[in-house]
Amino acid sequence: MTTTPLTLRMQASDNVAIVANDGGLAAGTVLADGVVLLDPVPQGHKVALVDIAAGAPVLRYGIPIGHAAQAIAAGRWVHERLLTMPAARALDDLPLATLRAAALPPLQGHTFEGYRNADGSVGTRNILAITQTVPCVAGVTAFAVQRIKAELLPRYPRVDDVVALEHGYGCGVAIDAADAVIPIRTLRHISQNPNFGGEVMVVSLGCEKLQPGRLLPPGSLPIRDGREAQPPALDVICLQDDAHVGFMSMVESIMRQAEAHLQRLHARRRETVPASELVVGVQCGGSDAFSGVTANPAVGFCADLLVRAGASVMFSETTEVRDGIAQLTARAATPEVAQALVREMAWYDAYLQRGGVDRSANTTPGNKAGGLSNIVEKAMGSIVKSGTAPIVDVLAPGEKLRTRGLTYAATPASDFICGTLQLAAGMNLHAFTTGRGTPYGLAAVPVIKVATRSDLARRWHDLMDVNAGRIADGTATIESVGWELFRLMLDVASGRKKTWAEQWKLHNALVLFNPAPVT
Ligand code: CA
């Protein structure tokens, strides 16, 4: 057991540092620079490095994460009750596309084995997805999927899985409300995710508000192969159809249709494609003070490698980037992209205001126990996941990715809603960092989980795929973990390796973002 006190300071101007030692440090411990701890400080929490006067800024990442609510002596534990949170940055008068970073040098020669689709996208898995227009059909579809897996799937071993896209939308909702466009296009775009190979089948009840033709209007279906002049007709099984007599008739009809899609999916083969075909969504969940020191910077380094290789990277979580908006608008590639960032932040501010809360509603008891005092501190650690590349595009919730490079895909920070919206945008691989620990996973794409602390990686050795805690231990660097993650992504995308969440089949349900009223 090491007794050498380990503390981490992000910038030379910071007046606090993070205690890195497992189990924290006891009062009386002398830090390397001579500061003596006046309080016991838990792991991941902040210690004052100098005397901080009442009202003076508390600096981490070189910026004020709050102001001292009272005088804080050097060596004291700087917990959330000693901090007052700064106001959110106003959305006018922001720097727009002012940062002219040197272009990142291209990274060539990296490939993976993927499934190329007729529309040009590339899948990392070969999955039959069954789209549903309404929750009423979920039980019947789930029953049919069980039988498909037991009776049909063994005959089509090149198909990885069958996934029912269950959700809570489609009826009992104000479907003509302006914001209804968000859940509807989210579902539409998820059914077109590259891992589903252009095979779309729909189970509908019949009387629901979200009719199949409204969910997937003509022209929205992917062309399945290059020889087809027209996309196929929409394949719908309608449970209220007069032809169905009894439950088994519905189940068999779903199975019959599924088999036609399984045959086509089974004919797909992996081929060598450039790393530029990766579409990686990054997010964090169950964050702690190490997220912004170890895992997120390593993911950010990897994001830069991906952008250099010509791939697409999405970062998200609006309430977690709101406090860094000036950094983001400065990093936008053009003033138009910066304006689009402002548009999404303003929309979200208004959305929170309608609910009578603000961005401070984001932080959880676990975040605070892990050392994150407030959303400003959390935001600075969250944004580093995006690396340093210019932001080339902004997606509103549920929109589909339009371009390669680094995109801001606006989503809530909720792990499930963010993952669902990144699936809709077209991600084929997900990188997820966690400090407190979460067994999160998705059925449609592999999720690579990155632990922020070695203690978590040790205890959750069969849930965490990468241990970025070695950066805090001093046994690895941000660069080395970033490269390790990049190589793991190519292996996982190729199907050569499975993530732990895939191994155990840990799948979170889709959760649609529906800001419109329900009825
Ligand atoms: Ca999240």
Side-chain angles (χ1 to χ4, degrees):
M1 194 69 197
T2 174
T3 48
T4 312
L6 287 172
T7 56
L8 301 163
R9 175 149 64 155
M10 299 307 291
Q11 305 261 339
S13 59
D14 291 356
N15 53 15
V16 294
I18 304 300
V19 169
N21 300 74
D22 282 352
L25 291 174
T29 305
V30 183
L31 303 183
D33 53 7
V35 172
V36 181
L37 296 194
L38 302 179
D39 303 306
V41 182
Q43 185 191 36
H45 283 250
K46 294 175 286 297
V47 54
L49 298 174
V50 294
D51 292 335
I52 303 171
V58 173
L59 300 168
R60 190 177 172 207
Y61 299 101
I63 64 123
I65 57 166
H67 294 85
Q70 60 190 70
I72 304 172
R76 285 208 63 192
W77 172 21
V78 184
H79 51 71
E80 52 160 309
R81 294 176 303 282
L82 290 179
L83 285 184
T84 57
M85 189 167 78
R89 169 88 193 231
L91 291 176
D92 43 23
D93 202 25
L94 288 162
L96 304 182
T98 47
L99 204 68
R100 284 278 163 260
L104 298 169
L107 186 64
Q108 279 157 347
H110 295 276
T111 60
F112 68 100
E113 304 298 309
Y115 294 99
R116 203 177 267 291
N117 295 314
D119 67 357
S121 67
V122 170
T124 58
R125 294 292 180 269
N126 191 23
I127 295 171
L128 172 62
I130 303 183
T131 299
Q132 298 163 58
T133 50
V134 68
C136 315
V137 305
V140 176
T141 310
F143 188 96
V145 165
Q146 261 184 351
R147 281 195 53 190
I148 294 168
K149 285 186 180 180
E151 297 168 35
L152 299 181
L153 205 52
R155 288 196 264 132
Y156 302 98
R158 290 202 190 92
V159 181
D160 293 315
D161 204 359
V162 181
V163 172
L165 301 178
E166 189 182 345
H167 59 84
Y169 196 75
C171 213
V173 290
I175 205 156
D176 292 316
D179 290 336
V181 67
I182 294 176
I184 296 172
R185 73 180 169 212
T186 302
L187 271 178
R188 176 183 307 143
H189 293 157
I190 287 178
S191 69
Q192 301 165 351
N193 184 278
N195 281 2
F196 304 151
E199 297 296 328
V200 178
M201 67 176 279
V202 180
V203 179
S204 148
L205 182 63
C207 58
E208 67 272 26
K209 284 184 173 167
L210 183 58
Q211 289 289 305
R214 185 163 187 166
L215 175 61
L216 289 153
S220 67
L221 286 183
I223 291 180
R224 283 193 300 227
D225 71 50
R227 290 162 303 178
E228 286 173 343
Q230 295 284 327
L234 185 56
D235 175 13
V236 182
I237 296 106
C238 176
L239 300 192
Q240 288 171 349
D241 197 316
D242 290 343
H244 289 134
V245 180
F247 171 56
M248 280 308 158
S249 155
M250 301 172 187
V251 172
E252 273 152 24
S253 164
I254 295 172
M255 291 179 69
R256 197 165 45 244
Q257 291 306 106
E259 183 147 24
H261 295 282
L262 286 172
Q263 281 166 359
R264 280 191 292 269
L265 289 170
H266 185 68
R268 298 169 88 207
R269 296 287 183 277
R270 287 188 186 270
E271 57 186 278
T272 304
V273 297
S276 58
E277 300 295 356
L278 284 176
V279 181
V280 178
V282 303
Q283 74 150 320
C284 46
S287 299
D288 66 2
F290 284 93
S291 300
V293 183
T294 59
N296 290 352
V299 168
F301 186 86
C302 180
D304 282 353
L305 295 177
L306 290 163
V307 170
R308 288 173 55 194
S312 308
V313 179
M314 282 180 275
F315 74 112
S316 297
E317 303 175 292
T318 298
T319 48
E320 286 175 14
V321 304
R322 176 64 180 82
D323 283 281
I325 183 62
Q327 295 172 28
L328 298 185
T329 53
R331 266 174 74 193
T334 66
E336 291 71 31
V337 171
Q339 297 288 5
L341 281 164
V342 171
R343 178 195 73 210
E344 290 306 320
M345 299 295 138
W347 186 92
Y348 216 88
D349 282 358
Y351 167 73
L352 290 176
Q353 210 175 12
R354 281 210 303 276
V357 295
D358 62 26
R359 75 214 200 282
S360 67
N362 174 300
T363 35
T364 65
N367 291 154
K368 290 178 178 173
L372 290 174
S373 295
N374 60 37
I375 185 59
V376 183
E377 184 175 17
K378 189 173 172 181
M380 293 308 128
S382 177
I383 287 173
V384 295
K385 292 197 299 295
S386 66
T388 62
I391 301 164
V392 293
D393 199 14
V394 176
L395 302 181
E399 284 187 334
K400 226 174 168 173
L401 201 71
R402 290 179 284 253
T403 178
R404 292 173 198 273
L406 180 67
T407 289
Y408 182 72
T411 78
S414 154
D415 298 349
F416 324 101
I417 298 182
C418 172
T420 298
L421 290 168
Q422 289 185 342
L423 273 179
M427 81 169 155
N428 54 23
L429 200 63
H430 201 20
F432 191 104
T433 69
T434 184
R436 306 289 298 167
T438 164
Y440 174 87
L442 293 173
V445 302
V447 179
I448 296 175
K449 288 204 292 297
V450 185
T452 71
R453 290 174 300 124
S454 292
D455 176 54
L456 175 67
R458 262 193 301 273
R459 286 185 293 114
W460 288 30
H461 58 92
D462 49 6
L463 289 166
M464 294 292 133
D465 300 291
V466 176
N467 175 18
R470 290 172 295 146
I471 296 166
D473 304 340
T475 57
T477 62
I478 288 170
E479 293 76 10
S480 69
V481 176
W483 272 107
E484 180 185 329
L485 183 57
F486 179 75
R487 295 199 179 93
L488 180 62
M489 281 181 179
L490 296 175
D491 283 341
V492 169
S494 303
R496 288 190 291 265
K497 277 190 184 161
K498 277 186 173 180
T499 66
W500 281 115
E502 282 185 295
Q503 206 91 270
W504 303 124
K505 298 193 186 305
L506 304 179
H507 299 157
N508 284 103
L510 297 179
V511 183
L512 293 176
F513 183 37
N514 178 24
V518 293
T519 60

